Amino acid sequence: IIVQWGSFAGLSTGDTPVTFPIPFPNAVRHVWPCAQASASGAYAGYNTATKTGFNGNMWASVNTRQPGISSYLAIGE
């Protein structure tokens, strides 16, 4: 089991490519993104997780992206 963490800057225009500090040798099992405090509120998400990274994103509502900083925790093997 390998645990990694980091942060990424969410964009209002699309996903942010995130690269893990080290690639997972076999597979990434889950990524937990977490939006850091924002005056207007935000939530973080991700898609396309691979052994080397994922695409991070931030949202103000279900269909409105929001810029800001998110942290993440990833677990894999």
Side-chain angles (χ1 to χ4, degrees):
I1 300 290
I2 300 170
V3 177
Q4 300 189 62
W5 60 91
S7 62
F8 65 91
L11 306 172
S12 61
T13 56
D15 291 342
T16 301
V18 179
T19 302
F20 293 128
I22 61 169
F24 289 102
N26 297 308
V28 60
R29 295 297 177 201
H30 196 73
V31 178
W32 290 271
C34 181
Q36 296 184 12
S38 171
S40 61
Y43 64 95
Y46 78 96
N47 60 59
T48 321
T50 69
K51 294 188 290 186
T52 59
F54 63 95
N55 289 323
N57 43 63
M58 286 188 62
W59 301 88
S61 66
V62 71
N63 60 1
T64 304
R65 290 182 183 264
Q66 175 174 312
I69 301 299
S70 290
S71 57
Y72 69 86
L73 179 71
I75 189 167
E77 56 183 333

